[in-house]
Amino acid sequence: MFHAILLLSAPVVAEALGSNHLQQPLTVPAFTKIPSLGFGTWNLDKDNVSQAVSTALHTGYRHLDCATAYGNQKAVGKGIAHGLKSLDLNRSDIWVTSKLWNDHHDPSLVQEALDQTLQELGLDYLDLWLMHWPVGNSPDTGKIRLDYLDAWHAMEKVYMTGQVRNIGVSNFSPAQLKDIIDNSTTKPAVHQMEIHPYLPQSEWINYHKELGIAVTAYSPFANTNPTYTPSQGDPPFLLTNADMLAVAAKRGCTTAQVALVWGWNRGHSVIPKSSHASHIKENFGALDCHLEEDDLDRIDEISKTYLKRFNNPSKGYGVRLFRGLEDA
């Protein structure tokens, strides 16, 4: 029996979809739709960014995740333009997310940041614009500090112009998300965060469902991402984890596909990335990978042995992040 994908809205609705509808989107509060499987552009091979993005579109991806901080949006934009033209697609056929970086949290700089992103990507609007982190650079010293509410209010103003169809956040703590909701007129449509079997964040995800806020998971393959420097005591690479291998063998899927199916069966979208055409296509093949309840339950148990957050720049920023999520 296929495990239901949760469609998030206000109120929350759970709906079982047939296996041929796995690429159906997750509904978010602004009544727009985000495809459950996306293509991430973080740390793509610099010489292959445009080709990778075009390949992703040709493979069938219709959700692209970008960010100013990735430093590759011009190349991503070229890949988008090539993919749309060669496939005879319209801009409205794809979902594009980007993110506001820490150095433009000053409200006077937010519009400038968006204009730069749109110019780099060659687009006239974004489907979703996220605040990348709840921190910003002090205009006086350049030092990183907690800084998000004024920037959010500036993003709300941009949202009203129509240049972004949805606004949201990334890497926020429970208190920070509550602060945004309690002191703003626009609730975040999406919260992007690190989620994988080593960091399931189940209670945190369920809280978002109650709020009607959609969730997107980055780093769905956990420590397989070469960006994360290995440290003593780390769990094994997720894609070589014994339980993941067992489920993959049982269902005739790859471990990467198993990780992605586990993700969207929990009700959130996932954004794997790769510079290699074979892996791009392999990940998209997750749409044909079917897991049963016992498979999902087995993967859920992994975090009882291994619980690890890999992306935590608290020390480098000098700011405590993810307060209240230590046991996520």
Side-chain angles (χ1 to χ4, degrees):
M1 181 180 68
F2 178 70
H3 193 71
I5 294 178
L6 293 179
L7 302 185
L8 306 182
S9 62
V12 175
V13 177
E15 178 179 350
L17 302 179
S19 60
N20 61 330
H21 296 294
L22 284 178
Q23 187 63 0
Q24 289 296 313
L26 304 172
T27 304
V28 297
F31 303 107
T32 52
K33 298 178 178 181
I34 180 169
S36 55
L37 177 60
F39 181 71
T41 61
W42 181 25
N43 280 347
L44 290 180
D45 185 333
K46 292 182 180 180
D47 297 325
N48 192 42
V49 173
S50 299
Q51 182 61 52
V53 170
S54 181
T55 297
L57 290 173
H58 277 80
T59 300
Y61 293 85
R62 295 296 180 263
H63 170 189
L64 302 174
D65 182 78
C66 319
T68 298
Y70 301 165
N72 61 7
Q73 288 192 138
K74 288 184 179 179
V76 170
K78 291 179 181 179
I80 291 173
H82 179 270
L84 293 183
K85 182 177 181 179
S86 58
L87 290 166
D88 196 25
L89 294 175
N90 297 316
R91 166 65 182 90
S92 59
D93 292 324
I94 64 171
W95 175 287
V96 180
T97 295
S98 189
K99 307 175 189 75
L100 173 71
W101 188 238
N102 307 339
D103 59 0
H104 276 68
H105 276 214
D106 186 297
S108 66
L109 300 177
V110 170
Q111 181 67 57
E112 173 187 295
L114 176 62
D115 291 341
Q116 178 184 344
T117 284
L118 292 174
Q119 181 181 26
E120 290 177 348
L121 291 172
L123 303 176
D124 56 8
Y125 72 90
L126 293 174
D127 297 278
L128 174 63
W129 200 31
L130 303 173
M131 190 181 303
H132 208 148
W133 292 93
V135 300
N137 297 88
S138 166
D140 300 322
T141 66
K143 184 178 180 180
I144 292 289
R145 60 180 183 175
L146 284 176
D147 176 22
Y148 54 87
L149 199 54
D150 289 342
W152 179 258
H153 292 158
M155 289 177 69
E156 287 184 291
K157 293 180 180 179
V158 170
Y159 169 66
M160 297 304 294
T161 70
Q163 289 178 290
V164 293
R165 303 295 171 84
N166 299 274
I167 54 175
V169 297
S170 180
N171 300 304
F172 270 51
S173 73
Q176 291 158 358
L177 181 62
K178 185 177 186 299
D179 199 16
I180 288 280
I181 293 172
D182 289 348
N183 294 285
S184 307
T185 58
T186 308
K187 180 173 59 177
V190 179
H191 190 172
Q192 187 176 125
M193 63 186 78
E194 180 183 349
I195 304 172
H196 43 72
Y198 290 152
L199 189 72
Q201 307 215 71
S202 300
E203 290 186 9
W204 191 212
I205 292 172
N206 288 337
Y207 182 64
H208 285 75
K209 292 175 183 177
E210 294 173 4
L211 293 173
I213 298 175
V215 171
T216 294
Y218 69 76
S219 295
F221 303 148
N223 51 346
T224 306
N225 189 327
T227 303
Y228 302 140
T229 304
S231 59
Q232 187 174 7
D234 274 0
F237 289 122
L238 180 66
L239 300 189
T240 61
N241 177 281
D243 290 297
M244 297 291 289
L245 288 167
V247 172
K250 181 180 178 182
R251 298 301 172 195
C253 306
T254 67
T255 49
Q257 292 168 347
V258 167
L260 298 175
V261 176
W262 172 83
W264 68 57
N265 269 279
R266 304 171 79 240
H268 56 72
S269 55
V270 291
I271 47 172
K273 65 98 177 174
S274 178
S275 297
H276 305 288
S278 60
H279 291 157
I280 291 171
K281 294 173 183 178
E282 174 192 339
N283 294 339
F284 194 78
L287 298 173
D288 295 318
C289 175
H290 310 293
L291 302 183
E292 300 290 344
E293 293 282 352
D294 62 323
D295 303 319
L296 299 167
D297 291 342
R298 181 169 184 172
I299 298 170
D300 287 341
E301 292 292 310
I302 290 175
S303 63
K304 293 183 179 180
T305 303
Y306 303 110
L307 184 64
K308 174 82 177 197
R309 182 186 299 278
F310 294 98
N311 189 24
N312 188 352
S314 295
K315 186 175 181 180
Y317 284 165
V319 175
R320 182 179 174 185
L321 301 167
F322 307 115
R323 187 187 296 267
L325 297 172
E326 290 81 4
D327 59 349

